[in-house]
Amino acid sequence: EIVLTQSPDFQSVTPKEKVTITCRASQSIGSSLHWYQQKPDQSPRLLIKYASQSFSGVPSRFSGSGSGTDFTLTINSLEAEDAATYYCLQSYSLPYTFGQGTKLEIK
Amino acid sequence: QVQLQESGPGLVKPSQTLSLTCTVSGGSINSGSYYWGWIRQPAGKGLEYIGRISTSGSTNYNPSLKSRVTISVDTSKNQFSLKLSSVTAADTAVYYCARIPGGSYWYFDLWGRGTLVTVSS
């Protein structure tokens, strides 16, 4: 199965900062990489599909890039409501696998 | 709009079978090319894919759980279900059901709120 490794595991940031979270796949997955946001006691919410396509209703400060094995989620001008854990998911091959998560704390 | 709701016992004894149902409301489970999946999350940990099913009954399971998992669909009730046998404390988690658009779109776009299942005697 494909292993996804996110970095960092944890990041403490201030509002209005720019944040970058990376996801590295153990083999090439094309652009079959998706990003989710999960706030405490909530279900995950799809932010970005196929590496760079914004999902409906997602604020424009969220963007994604990458292909092959290296992917990035960028949050421009961070807001307090962006405090959450972010996960990447690959759908290139079954079984689907998730990254271990990146917890974002707002100072 | 379409919503998903998990239901089932919140407490299961070790060695027994965990059974959950996901009810799809606000739309037909049969519409489009949807697939339907289950994901779980132990407390304080990450997300784990359990498996998925098409409305025609085609399934895929996570190899780590494959020997214990069965996912089924009942289109007449607009529901799909998860059975996990021979459970242990390691199966204690929040279980989510989710939708996959299918066709050329393979990601979970809609999630239920999740239900906590505790395995304990």
Side-chain angles (χ1 to χ4, degrees):
Chain A
E1 75 180 34
I2 295 173
V3 176
L4 298 180
T5 304
Q6 294 181 227
S7 61
D9 291 331
F10 175 85
Q11 192 168 5
S12 183
V13 292
T14 55
K16 299 188 179 180
E17 230 183 289
K18 177 180 176 180
V19 172
T20 299
I21 299 170
T22 65
C23 179
R24 175 164 288 176
S26 58
Q27 65 184 74
S28 179
I29 58 172
S31 61
S32 297
L33 191 285
H34 320 288
W35 290 99
Y36 292 83
Q37 176 194 65
Q38 186 180 33
K39 296 182 179 180
D41 298 318
Q42 293 186 16
S43 53
R45 170 197 181 195
L46 179 64
L47 297 175
I48 303 290
K49 54 188 175 77
Y50 289 102
S52 61
Q53 300 172 21
S54 294
F55 189 62
S56 175
V58 174
S60 59
R61 63 182 180 274
F62 292 93
S63 63
S65 63
S67 66
T69 60
D70 295 306
F71 301 86
T72 299
L73 173 69
T74 300
I75 311 174
N76 282 300
S77 193
L78 193 77
E79 297 190 6
E81 66 181 29
D82 300 333
T85 301
Y86 293 82
Y87 294 93
C88 53
L89 163 74
Q90 70 81 23
S91 63
Y92 180 80
S93 69
L94 294 166
Y96 297 146
T97 49
F98 291 91
Q100 82 277 15
T102 295
K103 186 172 183 178
L104 213 53
E105 174 192 85
I106 312 299
K107 293 178 184 174
Chain B
Q1 70 278 25
V2 177
Q3 293 184 316
L4 308 181
Q5 178 66 59
E6 305 88 351
S7 59
L11 181 64
V12 181
K13 288 181 166 50
S15 80
Q16 294 191 342
T17 295
L18 176 161
S19 295
L20 296 175
T21 296
C22 183
T23 300
V24 180
S25 61
S28 172
I29 198 170
N30 257 332
S31 63
S33 54
Y34 294 129
Y35 282 60
W36 305 91
W38 290 96
I39 304 99
R40 71 179 182 178
Q41 184 174 37
K45 296 190 177 181
L47 300 163
E48 180 181 31
Y49 167 73
I50 299 172
R52 72 175 198 193
I53 190 166
S54 70
T55 51
S56 63
S58 172
T59 56
N60 172 264
Y61 301 133
N62 190 324
S64 67
L65 300 169
K66 188 173 184 177
S67 64
R68 300 193 290 130
V69 171
T70 302
I71 297 175
S72 59
V73 63
D74 187 337
T75 55
S76 66
K77 294 182 178 180
N78 238 28
Q79 295 176 334
F80 61 105
S81 299
L82 168 70
K83 291 189 186 299
L84 182 65
S85 64
S86 305
V87 297
T88 69
D91 296 309
T92 294
V94 174
Y95 285 75
Y96 296 100
C97 60
R99 184 181 72 179
I100 301 167
S104 300
Y105 306 105
W106 302 102
Y107 46 79
F108 301 103
D109 70 335
L110 181 66
W111 295 62
R113 297 180 68 175
T115 188
L116 173 63
V117 178
T118 301
V119 178
S120 175
S121 55

